[in-house]
């Protein structure tokens, strides 16, 4: 904003063509506030108008060009200077010249690729935004408008259950089972814990959902663990032969889809942690990774292409599918 | 895949608990024997010790099989420690038999065979009831009594 009242200045405003009809999604910003932004999916066109309103009508506005950009970038909090742009599109709206009156420019970014989901985390942020800029000699006038992108998937073909026997020799043997390994964000985790041998005095048992955000590569990898949920599934001492059911509704928790090695910059993975606590507050636990995915709400006609693209991007080829299974088994080992 | 609009929340199949598991003997055991009384010393400085043997498969005990020698005052010490430090109602010890320790008795007093046997039974009942209690199992003094060679009266009480 210019403090000099002699020159001319302008205000920029970006308005989407489908602002009335397009859905908005809530997203938590870095400082914890929840805001609503326009929701886009991969492949959708981003179109609208840029309004440049002159502050002092009558005076001209000299400029070095007016443009609008669509940017998708990853920002690591410990390295704010470097933004890693994975999508960068530009449309020139006006060549260098001057504006004598307020003007509106149309723009359209057709079938924009939005490969990743918008994410705001503890140490990293991935965002998409439109940025309209009026370039000037001394200082540019620009305006950013953030949008939220969701990546959709469909029911995976292969969704094996997780079933395992674990324990401590002669003290505690259990067999646990979760009905699936891939859950959508509004799914229900159905499972059971079967006690094969109990020689310690167990006070209670709970299931925790842990979100692990991994940033950085090579030697400077950093994991940030966050316990999203703690859900007690058993109170009191179990005996041999007893089976404890698990029913955990995911819709109540704020979670994102599993994001693996996004643009080689960060990952967000989710784990189920089964915790048994004994009379002396000792904790015995078994962690197991689960894959979370986002299910499309309503399959609209205009959405079907988007959903297919989204599903393809998630599922990938058969080889990446088996790589996922292998990784899941290795993690559990 | 089942109807995607309604989540499938049915429990996973599990066999109902076997009757042998439900009513069968527990897979954990804890047996303590108090036996072999030996009277040590002469004259007025005599005292009787008993062998205390513990066999268990509970993980909370360091040794699965241990043998120590203890006298009545050791059992008293254990009772006092637990009454002070834990919230358990400690089972009763067999009597202190002060009357038997007075002079001018017709019999051997506290070294009378029948009395020693009575006391032995009482001590065995006492220690078995106590050692099975989960709160007692948390106390350092119980483990020291059952499994350490000798009791260190200057120990730091704790869990």
């Amino acid at each position: 904003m210019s403090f000099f009242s002699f020159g001319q200045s302008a205000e920029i405003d970006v308005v989407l063509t489908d602002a009335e009809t397009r859905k908005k999604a809530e997203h938590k910003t870095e400082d914890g506030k929840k805001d609503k932004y326009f929701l886009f999916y991969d492949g959708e066109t981003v179109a609208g108008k840029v309004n440049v309103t002159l502050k002092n009508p009558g005076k001209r506005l000299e400029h070095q060009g007016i443009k609008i950009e669509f940017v998708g970038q990853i920002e690591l909090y410990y390295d704010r200077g470097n933004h890693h742009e994975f999508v960068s599109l530009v449309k020139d709206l006006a060549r260098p010249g001057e504006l004598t009156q307020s003007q509106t420019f149309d723009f359209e970014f057709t079938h924009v690729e939005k490969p990743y989901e918008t994410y705001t985390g503890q140490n990293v942020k991935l965002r998409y935004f439109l940025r309209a800029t009026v370039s000037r000699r001394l200082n540019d006038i620009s305006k950013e408008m953030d949008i939220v992108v969701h990546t959709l998937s469909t029911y995976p073909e292969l969704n094996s259950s997780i079933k395992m026997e674990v324990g401590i020799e002669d003290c505690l043997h259990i067999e646990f089972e979760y009905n699936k390994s891939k859950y959508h964000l509004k799914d229900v985790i159905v499972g059971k814990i079967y006690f094969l041998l109990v020689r310690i005095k167990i006070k209670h048992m709970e299931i925790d959902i842990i979100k692990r955000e991994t940033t950085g590569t090579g030697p400077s990898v950093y994991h940030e663990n966050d316990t999203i949920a703690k859900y007690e599934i058993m109170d009191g001492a179990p005996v041999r032969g007893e089976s404890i059911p698990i029913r955990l509704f995911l819709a109540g928790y704020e979670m994102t889809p599993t994001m693996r090695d996004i643009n080689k910059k960060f990952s967000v993975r989710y784990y189920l942690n089964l915790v048994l606590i004994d009379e002396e507050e000792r904790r015995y636990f078994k962690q197991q990774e689960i894959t979370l995915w986002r299910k499309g709400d309503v399959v609209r006609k205009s959405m079907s292409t988007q959903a297919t693209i989204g599903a393809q991007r998630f599922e990938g080829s058969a080889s990446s599918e088996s790589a996922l299974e292998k990784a899941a088994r290795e993690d559990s080992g | 895949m089942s109807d995607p609009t309604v989540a499938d929340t049915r429990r996973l199949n599990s066999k109902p608990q076997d009757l042998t598991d439900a009513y069968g003997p527990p897979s954990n055991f804890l047996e303590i024997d108090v036996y072999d009384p030996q009277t040590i010393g002469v004259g007025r400085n005599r005292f009787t010790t008993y062998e205390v043997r513990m066999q268990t498969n509970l993980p909370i005990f360091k040794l699965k099989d241990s043998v120590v020698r203890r006298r009545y005052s050791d059992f008293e010490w254990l009772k006092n420690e637990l009454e002070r430090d834990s919230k358990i109602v400690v089972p009763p010890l067999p009597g202190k038999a002060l009357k038997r320790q007075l002079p001018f008795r017709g019999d051997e007093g506290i070294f009378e065979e029948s009395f020693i046997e009575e006391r032995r039974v009482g001590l065995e009942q006492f220690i078995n009831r106590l050692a099975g209690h989960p709160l007692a199992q948390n106390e350092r003094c119980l483990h020291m009594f059952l499994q350490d060679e000798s009791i260190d009266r200057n120990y730091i009480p704790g869990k």
Side-chain angles (χ1 to χ4, degrees), chain A residues 161-262:
Chain A
S161 65
I162 301 172
K163 189 168 178 167
M164 221 172 280
E165 198 182 302
V166 294
I168 303 164
E169 197 68 32
D170 288 337
C171 291
L172 176 69
H173 285 190
I174 59 167
E175 185 190 83
F176 70 88
E177 186 179 343
Y178 305 127
N179 60 335
K180 304 187 224 183
S181 40
K182 299 172 192 157
Y183 293 94
H184 62 80
L185 296 179
K186 305 240 186 316
D187 216 332
V188 187
I189 298 178
V190 174
K192 73 176 207 289
I193 312 292
Y194 181 74
F195 288 90
L196 295 155
L197 176 75
V198 191
R199 291 217 175 115
I200 54 173
K201 297 209 166 54
I202 296 175
K203 205 159 62 153
H204 74 266
M205 179 164 67
E206 66 185 37
I207 280 211
D208 301 346
I209 303 179
I210 298 182
K211 170 179 154 187
R212 182 175 300 164
E213 183 191 284
T214 305
T215 45
T217 51
S220 60
V221 173
Y222 184 70
H223 300 290
E224 183 89 40
N225 288 341
D226 186 22
T227 304
I228 304 239
K230 276 189 187 206
Y231 191 71
E232 187 178 278
I233 55 174
M234 178 187 83
D235 185 19
V239 290
R240 168 185 80 205
E242 261 194 278
S243 188
I244 306 296
I246 299 168
R247 194 172 311 184
L248 182 50
F249 289 80
L250 296 178
Y253 305 110
E254 266 177 40
M255 298 187 294
T256 69
T258 294
M259 301 169 85
R260 286 203 174 87
D261 205 24
I262 299 302

Side-chain angles (χ1 to χ4, degrees), chain A residues 31-207:
Chain A
D31 47 15
K33 273 197 330 210
K34 271 199 173 165
D35 266 328
K36 278 187 176 260
Y37 302 93
F38 284 109
L39 176 62
F40 281 85
Y41 299 98
D42 188 16
E44 283 195 297
T45 294
V46 184
K49 297 185 193 308
V50 178
N51 302 321
V52 183
T53 318
L54 298 179
K55 287 243 186 80
N56 307 323
K59 282 232 184 97
R60 312 169 211 264
L61 177 72
E62 272 185 36
H63 65 86
Q64 254 66 19
I66 306 182
K67 67 179 179 201
I68 181 152
E69 297 167 278
F70 181 83
V71 179
Q73 73 181 28
I74 296 173
E75 194 180 303
L76 294 157
Y77 295 173
Y78 59 76
D79 186 18
R80 299 258 189 189
N82 292 328
H83 293 168
H84 305 273
E85 290 182 2
F86 55 88
V87 174
S88 183
L89 306 169
V90 178
K91 287 257 188 294
D92 282 320
L93 300 174
R95 287 211 307 275
E98 53 183 41
L99 286 179
T100 45
Q101 56 184 25
S102 302
Q103 207 169 333
T104 295
F105 304 90
D106 288 328
F107 70 88
E108 181 177 300
F109 294 103
T110 351
H111 299 315
V112 186
E113 217 184 85
K114 306 177 203 71
Y116 313 119
E117 173 148 330
T118 300
Y119 175 75
T120 302
Q122 303 273 67
N123 293 306
V124 63
K125 184 153 94 163
L126 189 154
R127 59 188 270 246
Y128 294 87
F129 57 93
L130 285 161
R131 179 168 54 209
T133 313
V134 175
S135 307
R136 298 202 297 177
R137 271 201 332 270
L138 291 174
N139 53 343
D140 293 345
I141 310 170
S142 76
K143 182 80 188 288
E144 280 183 6
M145 185 180 101
D146 270 61
I147 59 158
V148 157
V149 171
H150 282 175
T151 49
L152 299 179
S153 309
T154 53
Y155 283 100
E157 279 162 23
L158 216 61
N159 199 352
S160 51
S161 65
I162 301 172
K163 189 168 178 167
M164 221 172 280
E165 198 182 302
V166 294
I168 303 164
E169 197 68 32
D170 288 337
C171 291
L172 176 69
H173 285 190
I174 59 167
E175 185 190 83
F176 70 88
E177 186 179 343
Y178 305 127
N179 60 335
K180 304 187 224 183
S181 40
K182 299 172 192 157
Y183 293 94
H184 62 80
L185 296 179
K186 305 240 186 316
D187 216 332
V188 187
I189 298 178
V190 174
K192 73 176 207 289
I193 312 292
Y194 181 74
F195 288 90
L196 295 155
L197 176 75
V198 191
R199 291 217 175 115
I200 54 173
K201 297 209 166 54
I202 296 175
K203 205 159 62 153
H204 74 266
M205 179 164 67
E206 66 185 37
I207 280 211

Side-chain angles (χ1 to χ4, degrees), chain A residues 285-297:
Chain A
F285 64 91
K286 176 68 191 154
Q287 212 174 77
Q288 197 60 38
E289 182 174 3
I290 51 167
T291 304
L292 296 182
W293 54 278
R294 187 183 290 278
K295 190 160 76 114
D297 291 325

Side-chain angles (χ1 to χ4, degrees), chain A residues 190 199 201 240 247 280, chain B residues 10 17 21 25 28 57 138:
Chain A
V190 174
R199 291 217 175 115
K201 297 209 166 54
R240 168 185 80 205
R247 194 172 311 184
E280 292 192 16
Chain B
R10 289 171 304 174
Q17 189 179 23
D21 278 347
N28 313 334
N57 69 352
N138 285 348

Side-chain angles (χ1 to χ4, degrees), chain A residues 275-288:
Chain A
V275 188
L276 290 97
I277 297 127
D278 74 4
E279 293 281 338
E280 292 192 16
E281 302 296 322
R282 273 188 291 242
R283 300 163 77 84
Y284 309 82
F285 64 91
K286 176 68 191 154
Q287 212 174 77
Q288 197 60 38

